[in-house]
Amino acid sequence: LISVMVFLAVRPLGKIKAVVQQLPRENRGPEQAVFYMARRNFRICPSCSYLDETGQDYLLSLMAACVEFNLGQFIQAEGVPASLESLQSLDTRVLQAYLMSAVAVMCGIQGGRGGSSMWGSAFLNEINGRVFVESLSCLRLLGSTSPHGIFWGYLNTRATWLGVPMETDEQLALVRLLVLARATDAKDMTEVKSAWDQLPETSRQVITEHFVADGVTTKAFVLIFLPLCIVNARKNAAIGLQSFLEMMADLFEQLVMHGCHLATEDTITVDLK
């Protein structure tokens, strides 16, 4: 518990630009930065030095887990089944610590509700809270279920909530798109499905092929910030979701054309920022 509290205390250091810019370029991500600093010298993070050797080991294991697995990406279907493999190898206590820290982090997004009441979380309302709890329920199956089963099992629940079938590969891709687009009601679903149906068949086929790739048995591209891009495209009347999806299909084709899929890694990260 103390290791989790220390982790939550030092985690914001990874978002301080003046600190992060002094680190090697490959360690400038929020989670990578904190892990790099703690691993190099605990004195950089004074809170870490108060832990005993066992506590420091748990803290480093927790930080490493956050580098390897991003819960937000899982919740938004931004990641792929392969990303869950890193959690399967964790010690049970480290996994429990990770999930506990995830609850605290999610509660802190957007702060408290404010106003006359300081109780509760502004972010974890009924809709977001329901999604978050479901994601935790799925992750608790890590010891008995494959990454593929957990990933698509989670999306199956989201599909059930929206009343969308998941029988064909194209339906699987559509469900993942709905989650990426943060669709929560019939209006959202209608808008996203309409854009999907109006795509040229070749574009749907390309997106489907890449959206069902798991990064385990087939190469997979992970498009970082894809949910935000989709949300912004929906809001922008000059672009719209359909045009963005056509552009995304072209991006997948360009990545393959330039041989990016030939990388040694089974999961290739593409930063859309």
Side-chain angles (χ1 to χ4, degrees):
L1 178 58
I2 296 177
S3 296
V4 173
M5 294 178 67
V6 170
F7 168 72
L8 294 172
V10 303
R11 184 174 177 271
L13 287 175
K15 297 186 177 182
I16 301 177
K17 290 185 178 180
V19 174
V20 173
Q21 289 175 352
Q22 300 180 51
L23 305 180
R25 186 172 298 275
E26 65 272 15
N27 292 295
R28 292 183 182 178
E31 308 298 347
Q32 290 89 341
V34 176
F35 183 45
Y36 176 84
M37 289 187 287
R39 189 176 46 183
R40 289 288 296 269
N41 192 335
F42 271 118
R43 287 179 295 179
I44 297 177
C45 306
S47 298
C48 303
S49 62
Y50 287 98
L51 297 172
D52 59 22
E53 186 174 347
T54 300
Q56 291 179 355
D57 288 342
Y58 273 119
L59 178 62
L60 288 176
S61 296
L62 178 56
M63 290 178 171
C66 291
V67 170
E68 295 296 327
F69 179 77
N70 187 309
L71 179 60
Q73 290 181 0
F74 172 71
I75 291 175
Q76 298 180 102
E78 187 178 358
V80 292
S83 61
L84 291 159
E85 290 185 323
S86 61
L87 290 186
Q88 284 193 313
S89 60
L90 289 181
D91 175 84
T92 301
R93 292 185 64 183
V94 175
L95 177 59
Q96 291 174 341
Y98 175 84
L99 297 178
M100 182 185 300
S101 68
V103 173
V105 170
M106 286 293 175
C107 287
I109 296 177
Q110 298 180 2
R113 289 182 298 171
S116 60
S117 175
M118 293 303 293
W119 297 98
S121 166
F123 177 73
L124 285 183
N125 53 29
E126 181 177 357
I127 294 175
N128 293 333
R130 184 187 188 195
V131 170
F132 179 55
V133 170
E134 177 58 28
S135 70
L136 291 183
S137 298
C138 291
L139 292 179
R140 290 180 62 188
L141 302 175
L142 278 165
S144 58
T145 307
S146 68
H148 190 277
I150 292 173
F151 183 85
W152 289 108
Y154 166 70
L155 289 187
N156 183 62
T157 299
R158 298 290 300 271
T160 300
W161 293 348
L162 291 170
V164 182
M166 280 183 58
E167 298 175 359
T168 66
D169 282 353
E170 185 168 317
Q171 288 173 341
L172 294 177
L174 175 57
V175 169
R176 187 176 175 192
L177 176 61
L178 286 165
V179 176
L180 281 163
R182 301 172 184 172
T184 59
D185 54 31
K187 180 183 177 185
D188 291 336
M189 185 181 68
T190 299
E191 178 188 345
V192 174
K193 191 174 185 306
S194 175
W196 175 261
D197 290 340
Q198 292 178 50
L199 285 176
E201 184 177 353
T202 53
S203 294
R204 288 202 306 272
Q205 289 174 346
V206 169
I207 294 174
T208 296
E209 177 185 351
H210 290 282
F211 268 20
V212 300
D214 58 16
V216 179
T217 59
T218 53
K219 296 273 187 177
F221 291 108
V222 175
L223 306 185
I224 305 298
F225 296 110
L226 180 56
L228 184 59
C229 288
I230 292 175
V231 169
N232 288 339
R234 290 175 62 191
K235 292 179 180 178
N236 191 328
I239 299 177
L241 182 56
Q242 182 184 343
S243 296
F244 176 80
L245 293 177
E246 291 178 9
M247 182 192 71
M248 183 172 65
D250 183 62
L251 172 61
F252 281 134
E253 291 183 315
Q254 291 294 324
L255 290 169
V256 173
M257 187 181 303
H258 286 82
C260 297
H261 66 299
L262 300 177
T264 55
E265 301 87 354
D266 289 326
T267 302
I268 301 100
T269 299
V270 181
D271 194 338
L272 299 181
K273 183 168 58 175

